[in-house]
C-alpha cells in the first residue's frame, strides 16, 4: 500500500540494481520511436472489438467499463481473476485518499469511492468496509500536512487527532513515541481477490466474453497490432488491445517496458487474535498506517482472517510466476516488533495466515495508462506500484474513455513520462537516500 513517492520507488530499484541491469540493455528506452497519434477506436454502428489481457484490478475494471460502454470485449487471464500470484490476489487492500500531497491521486480515489459504492449496490455484496484510517507519525508528518489542504478542498474529511483523544478511542493501541496522529474517517479497506471475481462475473453477465488463456508476447507491425497469439497457438484478432498484466508487463513487452516495471517481493502476516476478543475487528479498530523507522500498516480482521500487518518497505526483486510464497521468519519478527510497540494485547499472537505478493513498480511509482510507443491500437495499463488496487474502477473508467474516445492520459500516466523516468534508471541505476 505504498504511496507514489519517488524515494520509495528508486530505493526499491536500487535494491535490485544488479539483477535488473542484467536484464535490460542500456539505452533501449531511448531506441523506441515516439508514440503514434492516439485515435478513438470506432467500428461502424456496432461497438469495436476489443481484447483485454489480465483480469486483475486494472484489466478487470477496464474490461467492465468498456463492455458497459457498448464495446465487444474479450477478457483473458492466464490463471483467473484475483488468483494467488496476481498483485490483486490478497484478501484486502486499503482505500484512503491521503496521498502525500498528490491531487491527481486524491481525486482518483474520490471517484473510486463512488464507483466502489455503486458496484456494491449492483452486486448486492459489501466489498468496502469503512473503518477510517489512523495515520501515526513518530517523526516527520509532511505526508499528512501536505495532503490535508488537497483533501479538504475536495470535501474529504481529514483531521489531526489529539493523542489523548486517540488513546480514549482505541485503548488497544499504544501511542508512546507517536508525535502526531491524523484521522481520515471515510477510509477503509476493500475485499481484494473477491472483488476481482465479482468484476469478472459482472463483465460476463453484461455479455463480455471470458477465457483462461496465456497470451504470448505480441508482435506489432506497421504501427499496429492485428492479433494476439495464445499459448496453444490460436490467434485472436481485434480492433484494439489493452494489456493489464501487472508484474508480467515487462515479460510481454521486453522493449517498451522491460524492467521499467519491476516486481518486488512483499510479505504480509495475519495474526490470530485472542478468542472472544473483538478489539481488533473492523468494528472496533481502524486501518492504521505507521510512519516510523519503516512504514508499516495494518488492516483489522476481515472475514475472520486475522489481524493483518505488513511492511511497506520494498522487498527484493522477484519472479511473479516462479517465486515461492512462504513468508520469511524475519518478516514475522518485524511484524511482531510492531505489535509489541503498538498493539501490546497481540504480543505472542500466533500467525494465522500469511501471503507473499509483489509490488509492480513503475520507475517512480506512478501508473502507466497510455498507448504502446509503436502501436496506436495497443494500450498499456500497469505500474500499480503498491497503491493501485483501490483505483481499479476509476482507472478502468478513465482508460475506457481513452480507448473509445482517443483522449490523452493524464501527464502523470503517459508513456512519455514512463520512458523518461525509465531512462534515468537503466544503465547506472541511482541510489536515493
Ligand atoms: C502486499 C501488497 C499490498 C498492497 N496494498 C495496497 C493497498 O493497500 N491499496 C491499494 O490500492 N493497492 C495496494 N497494492 C497494490 C495493488 O494490489 C496492485 O497495484 C494492483 O492489484 C495491481 O493490479 P493489476 O491488475 O495491475 O495486476 P494483477 O492483479 O497482477 O493482474 C495482472 C493479471 O494479468 C494476468 N497476466 C499476466 N500475463 C499474462 C499473459 N501473458 N496472458 C494472460 N494473462 C496474463 C495475470 O494472470 C494477472 O491476473 C498492494 C500490493 C501488494 C502486493
Amino acid at each position: 500500500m505504498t504511496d507514489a513517492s519517488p524515494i520509495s520507488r528508486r530505493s526499491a530499484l536500487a535494491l535490485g540494481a544488479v539483477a535488473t541491469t542484467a536484464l535490460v540493455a542500456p539505452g533501449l528506452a531511448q531506441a523506441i520511436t515516439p508514440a503514434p497519434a492516439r485515435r478513438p477506436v470506432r467500428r461502424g454502428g456496432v461497438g469495436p472489438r476489443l481484447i483485454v489481457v489480465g483480469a486483475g484490478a486494472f484489466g478487470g475494471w477496464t474490461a467492465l467499463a468498456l463492455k458497459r460502454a457498448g464495446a465487444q470485449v474479450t477478457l483473458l487471464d492466464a490463471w483467473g481473476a484475483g488468483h494467488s500470484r496476481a498483485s490483486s490476489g490478497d484478501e484486502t487492500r486499503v482505500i484512503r485518499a491521503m496521498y502525500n500531497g498528490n491531487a491527481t491521486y486524491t481525486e482518483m480515489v474520490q471517484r473510486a469511492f463512488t464507483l466502489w459504492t455503486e458496484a456494491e449496490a449492483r452486486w448486492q455484496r459489501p466489498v468496502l468496509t469503512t473503518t477510517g484510517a489512523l495515520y501515526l507519525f513518530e517523526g516527520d508528518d509532511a505526508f499528512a500536512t501536505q495532503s490535508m489542504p488537497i483533501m479538504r478542498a475536495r470535501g474529504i474529511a481529514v483531521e489531526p487527532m489529539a493523542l489523548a483523544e486517540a488513546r480514549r478511542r482505541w485503548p488497544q493501541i499504544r501511542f508512546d513515541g507517536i508525535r502526531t496522529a491524523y484521522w481520515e474517517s471515510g477510509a477503509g479497506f476493500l475485499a481484494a481477490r473477491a472483488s476481482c471475481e465479482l468484476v469478472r462475473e459482472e463483465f460476463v453477465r453484461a455479455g463480455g466474453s471470458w477465457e483462461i488463456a496465456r497470451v504470448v508476447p505480441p508482435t506489432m507491425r506497421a504501427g499496429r497490432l492485428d492479433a494476439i497469439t495464445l499459448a496453444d497457438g490460436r490467434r485472436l484478432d481485434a480492433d484494439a488491445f489493452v494489456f493489464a498484466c501487472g508484474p508480467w508487463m515487462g515479460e510481454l513487452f521486453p522493449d517498451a517496458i522491460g524492467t521499467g516495471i519491476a516486481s518486488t517481493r512483499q510479505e504480509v502476516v495475519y495474526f490470530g487474535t485472542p478468542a472472544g476478543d473483538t478489539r481488533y475487528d473492523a468494528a472496533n479498530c481502524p486501518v492504521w498506517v505507521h510512519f516510523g523507522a519503516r512504514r508499516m500498516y495494518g488492516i483489522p480482521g476481515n472475514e475472520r482472517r486475522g489481524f493483518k500487518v505488513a511492511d511497506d518497505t520494498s522487498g527484493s526483486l522477484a519472479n511473479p510466476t516462479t517465486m515461492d510464497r512462504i513468508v520469511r521468519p524475519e518478516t514475522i519478527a518485524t511484524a511482531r516488533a510492531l505489535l509489541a510497540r503498538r498493539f501490546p494485547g497481540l504480543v505472542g499472537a500466533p500467525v494465522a495466515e500469511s501471503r507473499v505478493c509483489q509490488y509492480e513498480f513503475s520507475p517512480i511509482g506512478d501508473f502507466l495508462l497510455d498507448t504502446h510507443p509503436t502501436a496506436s491500437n495497443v494500450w498499456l495499463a500497469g505500474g500499480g506500484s503498491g497503491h493501485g488496487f483501490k483505483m481499479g474502477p476509476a482507472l478502468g473508467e478513465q482508460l475506457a474513455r481513452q480507448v473509445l474516445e482517443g483522449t490523452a492520459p493524464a501527464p502523470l500516466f503517459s508513456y512519455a513520462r514512463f520512458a523518461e523516468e525509465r531512462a534515468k534508471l537503466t544503465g547506472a541505476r541511482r541510489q536515493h537516500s
Side-chain angles (χ1 to χ4, degrees):
M1 68 125 263
T2 199
D3 67 297
S5 143
I7 292 175
S8 62
R9 162 61 178 153
R10 289 206 166 109
S11 307
L13 286 173
L15 281 171
V18 175
T20 51
T21 41
L23 295 174
V24 154
L28 207 47
Q30 296 90 326
I32 289 173
T33 48
R38 290 179 199 88
R39 283 192 292 270
V41 178
R42 293 212 181 85
R43 183 170 238 267
V46 293
R49 290 179 314 131
L50 307 172
I51 292 178
V52 177
V53 185
F58 281 31
W61 279 107
T62 303
L64 180 58
L66 288 165
K67 187 66 223 155
R68 294 181 85 201
Q72 306 171 64
V73 189
T74 296
L75 176 61
L76 304 169
D77 196 290
W79 288 286
H83 60 85
S84 297
R85 282 181 275 193
S87 293
S88 310
D90 192 5
E91 296 295 324
T92 47
R93 293 287 183 252
V94 175
I95 179 162
R96 59 177 167 90
M98 187 178 283
Y99 245 98
N100 207 11
N102 185 311
T104 302
Y105 286 121
T106 293
E107 283 171 2
M108 208 168 175
V109 182
Q110 199 169 25
R111 179 66 184 149
F113 268 119
T114 302
L115 295 174
W116 279 110
T117 308
E118 288 175 8
E120 276 187 319
R122 292 197 304 275
W123 300 336
Q124 302 276 296
R125 158 109 197 246
V127 292
L128 166 57
T129 304
T130 305
T131 58
L134 181 63
Y135 302 88
L136 301 171
F137 296 87
E138 290 186 338
D140 180 21
D141 61 2
F143 185 94
T145 54
Q146 288 175 10
S147 305
M148 280 210 305
I150 292 168
M151 294 168 77
R152 285 180 164 162
R154 287 155 184 81
I156 300 168
V158 62
E159 57 187 298
M161 179 169 278
L163 293 178
E165 168 68 3
R167 281 194 182 94
R168 192 191 59 76
R169 285 184 67 170
W170 300 290
Q172 70 273 47
I173 304 178
R174 182 188 280 154
F175 291 90
D176 302 14
I178 297 294
R179 283 186 55 221
T180 49
Y182 295 82
W183 176 239
E184 181 186 338
S185 57
F189 63 87
L190 297 156
R193 67 182 177 85
S195 57
C196 290
E197 177 60 8
L198 289 165
V199 169
R200 189 201 66 80
E201 286 171 8
E202 183 179 8
F203 168 77
V204 171
R205 275 198 306 278
S209 157
W210 154 253
E211 188 177 341
I212 295 217
R214 183 171 72 82
V215 175
V216 305
T219 308
M220 268 71 74
R221 284 192 191 84
R224 288 183 61 77
L225 178 64
D226 296 324
I228 51 168
T229 306
L230 306 185
D232 63 11
R234 277 181 294 149
R235 275 170 60 81
L236 302 181
D237 64 353
D239 299 316
F241 303 82
V242 176
F243 288 86
C245 299
W248 290 271
M249 288 294 274
E251 203 175 293
L252 277 143
F253 299 98
D255 292 351
I257 305 254
T259 51
I261 291 182
S263 179
T264 62
R265 182 183 172 93
Q266 307 299 143
E267 302 186 335
V268 175
V269 187
Y270 290 74
F271 288 98
T273 54
D277 187 344
T278 59
R279 289 176 297 162
Y280 308 98
D281 291 355
N284 300 316
C285 186
V287 159
W288 50 272
V289 189
H290 185 272
F291 295 76
R294 334 165 64 88
R295 190 191 311 176
M296 307 278 294
Y297 65 95
I299 299 180
N302 78 298
E303 296 190 338
R304 303 160 297 285
R305 303 322 323 154
F307 188 79
K308 177 173 174 175
V309 180
D311 186 344
D312 197 29
T313 312
S314 305
S316 54
L317 287 179
N319 182 314
T321 305
T322 59
M323 75 162 149
D324 282 332
R325 294 178 187 259
I326 298 167
V327 168
R328 295 159 310 146
E330 51 268 40
T331 299
I332 296 170
T334 304
R336 284 198 191 287
L338 194 280
L339 290 184
R341 199 163 164 72
R342 298 288 163 223
F343 297 90
L346 291 177
V347 168
V351 174
E353 299 189 16
S354 62
R355 299 283 189 286
V356 179
C357 194
Q358 63 278 315
Y359 288 161
E360 63 297 322
F361 264 125
S362 68
I364 55 168
D366 291 319
F367 308 153
L368 170 62
L369 302 174
D370 201 356
T371 45
H372 186 281
T374 64
S376 61
N377 67 335
V378 173
W379 272 263
L380 306 171
S385 307
H387 65 110
F389 188 87
K390 66 178 88 58
M391 305 294 196
L395 180 153
E397 175 183 75
Q398 203 166 301
L399 191 57
R401 207 175 300 130
Q402 286 175 228
V403 174
L404 297 173
E405 298 169 16
T407 51
L412 198 62
F413 308 143
S414 71
Y415 185 83
R417 184 161 185 276
F418 171 86
E420 191 183 312
E421 295 297 339
R422 185 178 85 148
K424 292 178 193 163
L425 294 168
T426 51
R429 288 183 189 248
R430 288 190 286 154
Q431 172 82 49
H432 283 251
S433 57

